[in-house]
Amino acid sequence: MRLALELILPILLIVCALAVTFSKRLLVAVVIFTSFSLIMSVIWVLLESPDLAITEAAVGAGVSGLLLIYTLKKIHALKGTSDE
Amino acid sequence: MAKIKKEKKTLWQRFTAWVNGDAAEQPLLPAEPPKPKKNKGAKGKKQKAQPTRKEWMGLSRFEHFYRVCAVVIGVAIVSVLMVTVLQLPLFGSPDNPAVNEVVERYVEKGLEETGAVNMVAGMILDYRAFDTFGESSVLFLAVTCVTMLLMRDRNNTTKEEDLLTAREHVIEGHEEDIILTKIARLVIPCALVYGIYVVLNGHLSPGGGFSGGTIMGSALILFAVSFGMIRISRFFTYATFRKVTSCALMVYAASKAYSFFTGANHLESHIPLGTPGAILSSGLILVLDICVGIVVACTMYGFYALFTKGEL
Amino acid sequence: MEHLLINHYETAAVILFGIGFLNLLLQNNLVKKVIGVGIMDSSVYLFLASQGYIEGRLAPILVGEVANAADYINPIPAGLVLTGIVVSVSVTAFSLALIQRLYQKYKTVNFDEIVQLARQKGDE
């Protein structure tokens, strides 16, 4: 069971990375990058490092995703927020 | 100077001008910046004068070459690294050469020398405290650089930008969203207390300064999002941010950074190590954890405030 | 080949590094380049921390009274990666601030257009 999880999660990571590369909309790319961080957090638990798991969950999915979305707002790449 | 150079423009001069990024002799694009869809059309219009046309065709040939080269180099790097992975020791084997006498010392003597039950926290805040100091400085430096880039004051805003931000303030409105405020009143105290718990228990259980600091920073960000910047600037202003972050970093530097000059002769801190398992134990680790947590929390909030409003 | 499957974390880390690197070089949009750098960072941390795992041992939190080095995984790579994660978010934040300033000046985040506009305006 654990071996199955250890084989599937890295494949999911690679799928997420490819989805970020080939997505056309920026908001989709940011959301998939946040889920990439979430999968990394689970992998840290499987590697027996709980410190890294808490930090990656707080930082990757929390602050990094938040900053990316605020940047998207400032460059007017979110639909429905352009002033014109 | 451009007129004299126009007459004799050898291949070498054109190449150096292109490398230096000098403006071409004739305007290449129409006066207003082009919209993204018209990009190829704008390039097609530029076949009027002979030197500019050759220059642009050289550029697109370079781009093609650049893309092919990038893919080749990427594939080469990945294959070299794969060959390296084939030479690595097996995953999870106990006779990994990374497990040496340093690990034995840290694990076995860690409790009696640092007093920390969490070995990773004991390692990064006692044995290798200088690395953590460098990393807190990197956070402080990052927020300083973002302040330099994004902070708005009277000198670097034009009148149009002022009008635009005033209009955005009016658009965002100041009726507070009732769902957000009610839920935030419940969540923010819990998140703050949880963040403080993770920081204080850094040496006893997983967690530590960084994760606890990020959780506290997220609670502050939630406060700013739901209640507005005016209410949070009642207790968290730019002056507060400066004083708190600088004091925390200086406390850290005073306790651990002098060993940069004195080498291995460090002063014994007179804080007793205490019983392992209690919160008030492990000497300086608790103090340093609190400092790191404060720096990280203020940094995360600072990033948010500078990104949205341009003021801290 | 079995070696690559046994070291599956390192293999995945190397492939992710390649994907992130190609993103950084070949994407036109600046925000996607920053995301590519983030993917590269995460792959390096995965590679480094998987050097510290030892089969059948526990996380490095002391259980009981006496610590035996044969009961716990290697805590050193975890400590190094902890620093790295925080530096990665600092670099991301700084790059995003630069992207905001570039957008304020050139009104686009497409890399080719910014280079063209910069060359036209004559300043870099």
Side-chain angles (χ1 to χ4, degrees):
Chain A
M1 181 62 205
R2 188 184 165 114
L3 187 61
L5 205 58
E6 284 199 357
L7 282 179
I8 288 182
L9 284 179
I11 298 183
L12 273 185
L13 271 185
I14 299 180
V15 167
C16 276
L18 288 174
V20 165
T21 316
F22 292 118
S23 70
K24 301 237 172 12
R25 293 184 51 191
L26 281 177
L27 186 57
V28 170
V30 167
V31 170
I32 296 183
F33 183 62
T34 309
S35 78
F36 177 90
S37 285
L38 178 68
I39 299 178
M40 281 297 281
S41 181
V42 176
I43 289 185
W44 293 135
V45 174
L46 284 180
L47 283 177
E48 303 280 347
S49 323
D51 284 322
L52 295 177
I54 298 182
T55 309
E56 174 84 34
V59 154
V63 175
S64 195
L66 188 73
L67 293 180
L68 276 166
I69 291 192
Y70 271 117
T71 308
L72 288 189
K73 177 171 196 251
K74 287 291 180 181
I75 65 177
H76 299 132
L78 299 172
K79 280 198 185 156
T81 58
S82 60
D83 293 53
E84 284 88 57
Chain B
M1 208 164 110
K3 281 186 191 166
I4 299 177
K5 271 194 184 168
K6 221 186 204 171
E7 284 137 14
K8 14 183 179 171
K9 202 75 166 132
T10 63
L11 189 61
W12 178 251
Q13 279 170 335
R14 256 184 280 145
F15 180 69
T16 48
W18 175 70
V19 166
N20 292 332
D22 294 334
E25 301 89 25
Q26 292 157 15
L28 296 170
L29 295 168
E32 69 274 348
K35 301 243 170 63
K37 288 176 193 165
K38 290 188 192 165
N39 195 9
K40 289 186 181 164
K43 263 192 191 166
K45 282 182 202 164
K46 294 312 142 238
Q47 299 175 6
K48 292 187 182 169
Q50 197 61 16
T52 43
R53 178 186 177 195
K54 265 196 187 164
E55 192 174 60
W56 275 108
M57 272 181 60
L59 184 57
S60 67
R61 227 184 299 146
F62 170 73
E63 276 200 10
H64 200 65
F65 173 67
Y66 168 79
R67 279 169 198 260
V68 168
C69 232
V71 171
V72 164
I73 288 183
V75 169
I77 287 182
V78 168
S79 47
V80 166
L81 287 174
M82 279 294 197
V83 168
T84 313
V85 168
L86 282 174
Q87 319 273 356
L88 280 178
L90 288 181
F91 174 68
S93 72
D95 47 358
N96 204 339
V99 177
N100 51 6
E101 59 271 4
V102 180
V103 178
E104 285 181 27
R105 170 69 185 263
Y106 283 177
V107 170
E108 288 174 2
K109 300 268 183 62
L111 184 60
E112 43 180 279
E113 287 185 355
T114 68
V117 173
N118 183 3
M119 288 171 220
V120 176
M123 186 188 93
I124 62 175
L125 287 175
D126 195 347
Y127 285 121
R128 303 197 176 189
F130 201 61
D131 299 345
T132 314
F133 175 61
E135 181 241 319
S136 307
S137 320
V138 166
L139 271 178
F140 182 65
L141 181 68
V143 87
T144 310
C145 293
V146 174
T147 309
M148 280 198 292
L149 283 173
L150 292 182
M151 187 120 168
R152 280 193 225 141
D153 58 3
R154 247 166 304 148
N155 296 338
N156 61 3
T157 48
T158 59
K159 269 204 180 144
E160 292 101 21
E161 285 177 11
D162 274 341
L163 287 175
L164 208 62
T165 48
R167 202 177 67 165
E168 276 177 14
H169 274 285
V170 166
I171 287 177
E172 282 164 20
H174 276 293
E175 317 173 333
E176 296 168 340
D177 197 356
I178 205 169
I179 296 181
L180 196 52
T181 46
K182 296 288 188 200
I183 300 286
R185 274 181 226 265
L186 290 176
V187 171
I188 292 176
C190 297
L192 263 181
V193 168
Y194 183 60
I196 295 177
Y197 159 77
V198 171
V199 167
L200 287 180
N201 268 320
H203 53 284
L204 302 175
S205 63
F210 307 114
S211 4
T214 315
I215 297 174
M216 289 198 289
S218 309
L220 282 176
I221 293 178
L222 182 57
F223 190 90
V225 167
S226 48
F227 292 104
M229 291 296 289
I230 302 180
R231 274 183 73 160
I232 202 172
S233 55
R234 283 187 206 159
F235 62 91
F236 198 94
T237 57
Y238 185 48
T240 319
F241 173 80
R242 268 185 355 223
K243 287 179 202 157
V244 163
T245 323
S246 321
C247 282
L249 265 186
M250 300 253 229
V251 166
Y252 197 119
S255 22
K256 289 290 181 180
Y258 57 82
S259 48
F260 186 65
F261 303 103
T262 64
N265 315 311
H266 66 277
L267 307 171
E268 294 292 333
S269 76
H270 293 289
I271 308 180
L273 281 183
T275 58
I279 287 190
L280 288 179
S281 66
S282 67
L284 266 184
I285 290 189
L286 186 61
V287 175
L288 297 181
D289 243 341
I290 295 177
C291 293
V292 169
I294 289 176
V295 169
V296 174
C298 295
T299 301
M300 299 300 166
Y301 173 70
F303 282 148
Y304 161 77
L306 286 165
F307 267 56
T308 46
K309 291 290 187 283
E311 64 203 9
L312 194 45
Chain C
M1 194 55 205
E2 288 94 27
H3 200 103
L4 287 181
L5 271 185
I6 296 181
N7 288 10
H8 42 276
Y9 284 125
E10 281 101 343
T11 314
V14 163
I15 296 180
L16 279 174
F17 187 83
I19 294 179
F21 188 54
L22 287 177
N23 254 333
L24 175 63
L25 289 181
L26 294 177
Q27 288 272 3
N28 253 340
N29 199 332
L30 284 178
V31 176
K32 284 211 177 159
K33 286 190 198 244
V34 169
I35 293 182
V37 172
I39 295 179
M40 272 167 72
D41 279 339
S42 291
S43 80
V44 169
Y45 302 147
L46 179 61
F47 189 88
L48 185 55
S50 66
Q51 304 298 320
Y53 180 70
I54 303 176
E55 197 91 21
R57 300 193 189 175
L58 300 173
I61 315 272
L62 195 63
V63 178
E65 291 284 331
V66 182
N68 192 0
D71 286 339
Y72 301 105
I73 64 164
N74 191 353
I76 297 185
L80 303 176
V81 170
L82 196 54
T83 305
I85 292 183
V86 178
V87 169
S88 160
V89 77
S90 303
V91 167
T92 304
F94 179 64
S95 324
L96 292 175
L98 278 177
I99 289 180
Q100 277 193 24
R101 286 298 296 228
L102 274 176
Y103 182 77
Q104 274 180 19
K105 180 157 184 167
Y106 293 112
K107 301 290 184 269
T108 174
V109 276
N110 198 341
F111 185 63
D112 289 334
E113 290 182 16
I114 290 182
V115 168
Q116 282 177 12
L117 286 171
R119 211 167 279 156
Q120 174 204 5
K121 285 187 186 175
D123 48 358
E124 227 97 69

